[in-house]
PDB file of all heavy atoms in Angstrom:
ATOM      1  N   LYS A  90      22.289 -26.472 -43.911  1.00  0.00           N
ATOM      2  CA  LYS A  90      21.222 -26.448 -42.904  1.00  0.00           C
ATOM      3  C   LYS A  90      20.757 -25.024 -42.743  1.00  0.00           C
ATOM      4  O   LYS A  90      21.545 -24.124 -42.631  1.00  0.00           O
ATOM      5  CB  LYS A  90      21.815 -26.885 -41.607  1.00  0.00           C
ATOM      6  CG  LYS A  90      20.847 -27.057 -40.401  1.00  0.00           C
ATOM      7  CD  LYS A  90      20.055 -28.304 -40.411  1.00  0.00           C
ATOM      8  CE  LYS A  90      18.931 -28.221 -39.504  1.00  0.00           C
ATOM      9  NZ  LYS A  90      17.681 -27.646 -40.237  1.00  0.00           N
ATOM     10  N   GLY A  91      19.475 -24.925 -42.735  1.00  0.00           N
ATOM     11  CA  GLY A  91      18.861 -23.562 -42.440  1.00  0.00           C
ATOM     12  C   GLY A  91      17.405 -23.607 -42.831  1.00  0.00           C
ATOM     13  O   GLY A  91      16.920 -24.536 -43.479  1.00  0.00           O
ATOM     14  N   GLY A  92      16.731 -22.602 -42.384  1.00  0.00           N
ATOM     15  CA  GLY A  92      15.261 -22.595 -42.415  1.00  0.00           C
ATOM     16  C   GLY A  92      14.728 -22.242 -43.808  1.00  0.00           C
ATOM     17  O   GLY A  92      15.416 -21.851 -44.748  1.00  0.00           O
ATOM     18  N   LEU A  93      13.426 -22.266 -43.902  1.00  0.00           N
ATOM     19  CA  LEU A  93      12.668 -21.764 -44.982  1.00  0.00           C
ATOM     20  C   LEU A  93      11.745 -20.570 -44.457  1.00  0.00           C
ATOM     21  O   LEU A  93      11.160 -20.638 -43.440  1.00  0.00           O
ATOM     22  CB  LEU A  93      11.647 -22.902 -45.520  1.00  0.00           C
ATOM     23  CG  LEU A  93      12.281 -24.170 -46.042  1.00  0.00           C
ATOM     24  CD1 LEU A  93      11.253 -25.209 -46.280  1.00  0.00           C
ATOM     25  CD2 LEU A  93      13.131 -23.852 -47.345  1.00  0.00           C
ATOM     26  N   LEU A 107      20.240 -14.336 -45.338  1.00  0.00           N
ATOM     27  CA  LEU A 107      20.002 -15.301 -44.324  1.00  0.00           C
ATOM     28  C   LEU A 107      20.892 -16.520 -44.531  1.00  0.00           C
ATOM     29  O   LEU A 107      21.463 -17.103 -43.489  1.00  0.00           O
ATOM     30  CB  LEU A 107      18.518 -15.780 -44.403  1.00  0.00           C
ATOM     31  CG  LEU A 107      17.512 -14.711 -43.934  1.00  0.00           C
ATOM     32  CD1 LEU A 107      16.104 -15.080 -44.316  1.00  0.00           C
ATOM     33  CD2 LEU A 107      17.644 -14.465 -42.338  1.00  0.00           C
ATOM     34  N   GLN A 111      23.828 -17.850 -41.900  1.00  0.00           N
ATOM     35  CA  GLN A 111      23.649 -19.268 -41.374  1.00  0.00           C
ATOM     36  C   GLN A 111      24.999 -19.913 -41.389  1.00  0.00           C
ATOM     37  O   GLN A 111      25.241 -20.826 -40.534  1.00  0.00           O
ATOM     38  CB  GLN A 111      22.685 -19.996 -42.290  1.00  0.00           C
ATOM     39  CG  GLN A 111      22.002 -21.211 -41.548  1.00  0.00           C
ATOM     40  CD  GLN A 111      20.857 -20.691 -40.765  1.00  0.00           C
ATOM     41  OE1 GLN A 111      19.986 -19.941 -41.107  1.00  0.00           O
ATOM     42  NE2 GLN A 111      20.755 -21.304 -39.548  1.00  0.00           N
ATOM     43  N   LYS A 114      26.927 -18.959 -38.203  1.00  0.00           N
ATOM     44  CA  LYS A 114      26.065 -19.310 -37.062  1.00  0.00           C
ATOM     45  C   LYS A 114      26.137 -20.775 -36.816  1.00  0.00           C
ATOM     46  O   LYS A 114      26.339 -21.226 -35.718  1.00  0.00           O
ATOM     47  CB  LYS A 114      24.645 -18.926 -37.426  1.00  0.00           C
ATOM     48  CG  LYS A 114      23.572 -19.259 -36.250  1.00  0.00           C
ATOM     49  CD  LYS A 114      22.201 -19.319 -36.783  1.00  0.00           C
ATOM     50  CE  LYS A 114      21.763 -18.057 -37.475  1.00  0.00           C
ATOM     51  NZ  LYS A 114      20.259 -17.912 -37.517  1.00  0.00           N
ATOM     52  N   ASN A 115      25.989 -21.562 -37.913  1.00  0.00           N
ATOM     53  CA  ASN A 115      25.952 -22.971 -37.723  1.00  0.00           C
ATOM     54  C   ASN A 115      27.384 -23.491 -37.292  1.00  0.00           C
ATOM     55  O   ASN A 115      27.475 -24.429 -36.448  1.00  0.00           O
ATOM     56  CB  ASN A 115      25.577 -23.650 -39.038  1.00  0.00           C
ATOM     57  CG  ASN A 115      24.092 -23.355 -39.420  1.00  0.00           C
ATOM     58  OD1 ASN A 115      23.457 -22.668 -38.665  1.00  0.00           O
ATOM     59  ND2 ASN A 115      23.587 -23.930 -40.489  1.00  0.00           N
ATOM     60  N   LYS A 126      19.657 -21.685 -46.872  1.00  0.00           N
ATOM     61  CA  LYS A 126      18.420 -20.995 -46.501  1.00  0.00           C
ATOM     62  C   LYS A 126      17.445 -21.153 -47.709  1.00  0.00           C
ATOM     63  O   LYS A 126      17.869 -21.259 -48.879  1.00  0.00           O
ATOM     64  CB  LYS A 126      18.616 -19.563 -46.214  1.00  0.00           C
ATOM     65  CG  LYS A 126      17.559 -18.824 -45.353  1.00  0.00           C
ATOM     66  CD  LYS A 126      17.820 -19.142 -43.888  1.00  0.00           C
ATOM     67  CE  LYS A 126      16.715 -18.911 -43.050  1.00  0.00           C
ATOM     68  NZ  LYS A 126      17.134 -18.892 -41.601  1.00  0.00           N
ATOM     69  N   VAL A 162      19.292 -29.976 -45.142  1.00  0.00           N
ATOM     70  CA  VAL A 162      18.117 -30.215 -44.238  1.00  0.00           C
ATOM     71  C   VAL A 162      17.446 -28.850 -43.817  1.00  0.00           C
ATOM     72  O   VAL A 162      17.890 -28.158 -42.977  1.00  0.00           O
ATOM     73  CB  VAL A 162      18.757 -30.859 -42.909  1.00  0.00           C
ATOM     74  CG1 VAL A 162      17.618 -31.141 -41.936  1.00  0.00           C
ATOM     75  CG2 VAL A 162      19.477 -32.116 -43.265  1.00  0.00           C
ATOM     76  N   PRO A 163      16.279 -28.588 -44.500  1.00  0.00           N
ATOM     77  CA  PRO A 163      15.557 -27.364 -44.210  1.00  0.00           C
ATOM     78  C   PRO A 163      14.854 -27.467 -42.902  1.00  0.00           C
ATOM     79  O   PRO A 163      14.725 -28.578 -42.300  1.00  0.00           O
ATOM     80  CB  PRO A 163      14.578 -27.279 -45.402  1.00  0.00           C
ATOM     81  CG  PRO A 163      15.112 -28.130 -46.428  1.00  0.00           C
ATOM     82  CD  PRO A 163      15.770 -29.229 -45.771  1.00  0.00           C
ATOM     83  N   ALA A 164      14.423 -26.267 -42.442  1.00  0.00           N
ATOM     84  CA  ALA A 164      13.616 -26.125 -41.165  1.00  0.00           C
ATOM     85  C   ALA A 164      12.750 -25.001 -41.362  1.00  0.00           C
ATOM     86  O   ALA A 164      12.457 -24.538 -42.405  1.00  0.00           O
ATOM     87  CB  ALA A 164      14.649 -26.031 -40.054  1.00  0.00           C
ATOM     88  N   GLY A 165      12.217 -24.506 -40.208  1.00  0.00           N
ATOM     89  CA  GLY A 165      11.319 -23.270 -40.243  1.00  0.00           C
ATOM     90  C   GLY A 165      12.046 -22.052 -40.184  1.00  0.00           C
ATOM     91  O   GLY A 165      13.252 -21.943 -39.830  1.00  0.00           O
ATOM     92  N   ASP A 166      11.374 -20.965 -40.472  1.00  0.00           N
ATOM     93  CA  ASP A 166      11.825 -19.591 -40.228  1.00  0.00           C
ATOM     94  C   ASP A 166      10.587 -18.782 -40.205  1.00  0.00           C
ATOM     95  O   ASP A 166       9.470 -19.370 -39.992  1.00  0.00           O
ATOM     96  CB  ASP A 166      12.762 -19.160 -41.347  1.00  0.00           C
ATOM     97  CG  ASP A 166      13.558 -17.887 -40.898  1.00  0.00           C
ATOM     98  OD1 ASP A 166      14.608 -17.981 -40.261  1.00  0.00           O
ATOM     99  OD2 ASP A 166      13.105 -16.758 -41.297  1.00  0.00           O
ATOM    100  N   MET A 167      10.509 -17.585 -40.456  1.00  0.00           N
ATOM    101  CA  MET A 167       9.346 -16.799 -40.451  1.00  0.00           C
ATOM    102  C   MET A 167       8.283 -17.362 -41.400  1.00  0.00           C
ATOM    103  O   MET A 167       8.638 -17.690 -42.539  1.00  0.00           O
ATOM    104  CB  MET A 167       9.556 -15.327 -40.765  1.00  0.00           C
ATOM    105  CG  MET A 167      10.276 -14.578 -39.593  1.00  0.00           C
ATOM    106  SD  MET A 167      11.063 -13.090 -40.126  1.00  0.00           S
ATOM    107  CE  MET A 167       9.713 -11.955 -39.861  1.00  0.00           C
ATOM    108  N   THR A 194      13.967 -30.389 -39.954  1.00  0.00           N
ATOM    109  CA  THR A 194      13.873 -30.375 -38.489  1.00  0.00           C
ATOM    110  C   THR A 194      12.808 -29.323 -38.047  1.00  0.00           C
ATOM    111  O   THR A 194      12.315 -28.613 -38.935  1.00  0.00           O
ATOM    112  CB  THR A 194      15.199 -29.882 -37.886  1.00  0.00           C
ATOM    113  OG1 THR A 194      15.580 -28.584 -38.394  1.00  0.00           O
ATOM    114  CG2 THR A 194      16.377 -30.896 -38.204  1.00  0.00           C
ATOM    115  N   GLY A 195      12.447 -29.445 -36.810  1.00  0.00           N
ATOM    116  CA  GLY A 195      11.312 -28.683 -36.387  1.00  0.00           C
ATOM    117  C   GLY A 195      10.077 -29.524 -36.525  1.00  0.00           C
ATOM    118  O   GLY A 195       8.927 -29.046 -36.586  1.00  0.00           O
ATOM    119  N   ARG A 206      12.747 -28.188 -29.226  1.00  0.00           N
ATOM    120  CA  ARG A 206      13.200 -27.414 -30.440  1.00  0.00           C
ATOM    121  C   ARG A 206      12.270 -26.143 -30.536  1.00  0.00           C
ATOM    122  O   ARG A 206      12.876 -25.095 -30.893  1.00  0.00           O
ATOM    123  CB  ARG A 206      12.949 -28.308 -31.653  1.00  0.00           C
ATOM    124  CG  ARG A 206      13.141 -27.533 -33.000  1.00  0.00           C
ATOM    125  CD  ARG A 206      14.663 -27.016 -33.122  1.00  0.00           C
ATOM    126  NE  ARG A 206      14.891 -26.115 -34.229  1.00  0.00           N
ATOM    127  CZ  ARG A 206      14.760 -24.728 -34.187  1.00  0.00           C
ATOM    128  NH1 ARG A 206      14.303 -24.157 -33.075  1.00  0.00           N
ATOM    129  NH2 ARG A 206      15.042 -24.020 -35.221  1.00  0.00           N
ATOM    130  N   THR A 210      15.413 -21.340 -29.657  1.00  0.00           N
ATOM    131  CA  THR A 210      16.032 -20.070 -30.020  1.00  0.00           C
ATOM    132  C   THR A 210      15.870 -19.137 -28.845  1.00  0.00           C
ATOM    133  O   THR A 210      16.848 -18.507 -28.465  1.00  0.00           O
ATOM    134  CB  THR A 210      15.402 -19.563 -31.278  1.00  0.00           C
ATOM    135  OG1 THR A 210      15.375 -20.623 -32.260  1.00  0.00           O
ATOM    136  CG2 THR A 210      16.178 -18.382 -31.785  1.00  0.00           C
ATOM    137  N   ASN A 349      17.622 -12.405 -36.904  1.00  0.00           N
ATOM    138  CA  ASN A 349      18.691 -12.298 -37.888  1.00  0.00           C
ATOM    139  C   ASN A 349      18.797 -10.880 -38.388  1.00  0.00           C
ATOM    140  O   ASN A 349      17.903 -10.306 -38.888  1.00  0.00           O
ATOM    141  CB  ASN A 349      18.456 -13.296 -39.055  1.00  0.00           C
ATOM    142  CG  ASN A 349      18.539 -14.690 -38.726  1.00  0.00           C
ATOM    143  OD1 ASN A 349      19.537 -15.125 -37.993  1.00  0.00           O
ATOM    144  ND2 ASN A 349      17.564 -15.494 -39.059  1.00  0.00           N
ATOM    145  N   ASN A 375      21.182 -16.294 -31.454  1.00  0.00           N
ATOM    146  CA  ASN A 375      20.069 -17.118 -31.860  1.00  0.00           C
ATOM    147  C   ASN A 375      20.542 -18.560 -32.414  1.00  0.00           C
ATOM    148  O   ASN A 375      19.632 -19.259 -32.906  1.00  0.00           O
ATOM    149  CB  ASN A 375      19.198 -16.384 -32.838  1.00  0.00           C
ATOM    150  CG  ASN A 375      19.758 -16.351 -34.262  1.00  0.00           C
ATOM    151  OD1 ASN A 375      20.605 -17.135 -34.659  1.00  0.00           O
ATOM    152  ND2 ASN A 375      19.304 -15.348 -34.997  1.00  0.00           N
ATOM    153  N   ALA A 376      21.814 -18.869 -32.180  1.00  0.00           N
ATOM    154  CA  ALA A 376      22.239 -20.132 -32.731  1.00  0.00           C
ATOM    155  C   ALA A 376      21.731 -21.330 -32.006  1.00  0.00           C
ATOM    156  O   ALA A 376      21.821 -22.460 -32.575  1.00  0.00           O
ATOM    157  CB  ALA A 376      23.813 -20.131 -32.744  1.00  0.00           C
ATOM    158  N   GLY A 378      18.741 -22.322 -31.800  1.00  0.00           N
ATOM    159  CA  GLY A 378      17.639 -22.798 -32.627  1.00  0.00           C
ATOM    160  C   GLY A 378      18.171 -23.856 -33.558  1.00  0.00           C
ATOM    161  O   GLY A 378      17.817 -25.088 -33.453  1.00  0.00           O
ATOM    162  N   VAL A 379      19.131 -23.400 -34.346  1.00  0.00           N
ATOM    163  CA  VAL A 379      19.638 -24.384 -35.354  1.00  0.00           C
ATOM    164  C   VAL A 379      20.542 -25.443 -34.646  1.00  0.00           C
ATOM    165  O   VAL A 379      20.612 -26.502 -35.139  1.00  0.00           O
ATOM    166  CB  VAL A 379      20.460 -23.637 -36.486  1.00  0.00           C
ATOM    167  CG1 VAL A 379      21.767 -23.075 -35.955  1.00  0.00           C
ATOM    168  CG2 VAL A 379      20.633 -24.506 -37.773  1.00  0.00           C
ATOM    169  N   GLY A 380      21.012 -25.082 -33.481  1.00  0.00           N
ATOM    170  CA  GLY A 380      21.835 -26.018 -32.733  1.00  0.00           C
ATOM    171  C   GLY A 380      21.013 -27.208 -32.248  1.00  0.00           C
ATOM    172  O   GLY A 380      21.421 -28.359 -32.395  1.00  0.00           O
ATOM    173  N   SER A 382      18.280 -27.998 -33.767  1.00  0.00           N
ATOM    174  CA  SER A 382      17.928 -28.735 -34.973  1.00  0.00           C
ATOM    175  C   SER A 382      19.006 -29.747 -35.273  1.00  0.00           C
ATOM    176  O   SER A 382      18.649 -30.970 -35.640  1.00  0.00           O
ATOM    177  CB  SER A 382      17.865 -27.770 -36.166  1.00  0.00           C
ATOM    178  OG  SER A 382      16.695 -27.094 -36.265  1.00  0.00           O
ATOM    179  N   ALA A 383      20.259 -29.514 -35.081  1.00  0.00           N
ATOM    180  CA  ALA A 383      21.311 -30.445 -35.300  1.00  0.00           C
ATOM    181  C   ALA A 383      21.179 -31.548 -34.264  1.00  0.00           C
ATOM    182  O   ALA A 383      21.447 -32.704 -34.584  1.00  0.00           O
ATOM    183  CB  ALA A 383      22.664 -29.801 -35.225  1.00  0.00           C
TER     184      ALA A 383
HETATM  185  N1  LIG B 501      15.585 -20.411 -39.190  1.00  0.00           N
HETATM  186  C1  LIG B 501      16.380 -20.712 -38.028  1.00  0.00           C
HETATM  187  C2  LIG B 501      17.612 -19.787 -38.055  1.00  0.00           C
HETATM  188  O1  LIG B 501      17.605 -18.617 -38.496  1.00  0.00           O
HETATM  189  C3  LIG B 501      16.535 -22.149 -37.716  1.00  0.00           C
HETATM  190  C4  LIG B 501      17.132 -22.887 -38.820  1.00  0.00           C
HETATM  191  C5  LIG B 501      17.226 -24.407 -38.558  1.00  0.00           C
HETATM  192  O2  LIG B 501      16.833 -24.865 -37.491  1.00  0.00           O
HETATM  193  O3  LIG B 501      17.771 -25.121 -39.462  1.00  0.00           O
HETATM  194  O4  LIG B 501      18.632 -20.202 -37.619  1.00  0.00           O
END
Side-chain angles (χ1 to χ4, degrees):
K90 180 87 198 84
L93 299 170
L107 290 166
Q111 204 82 44
K114 178 199 309 197
N115 292 4
K126 204 85 191 191
V162 182
D166 196 85
M167 292 164 85
T194 61
R206 177 63 190 90
T210 311
N349 291 312
N375 75 25
V379 74
S382 276

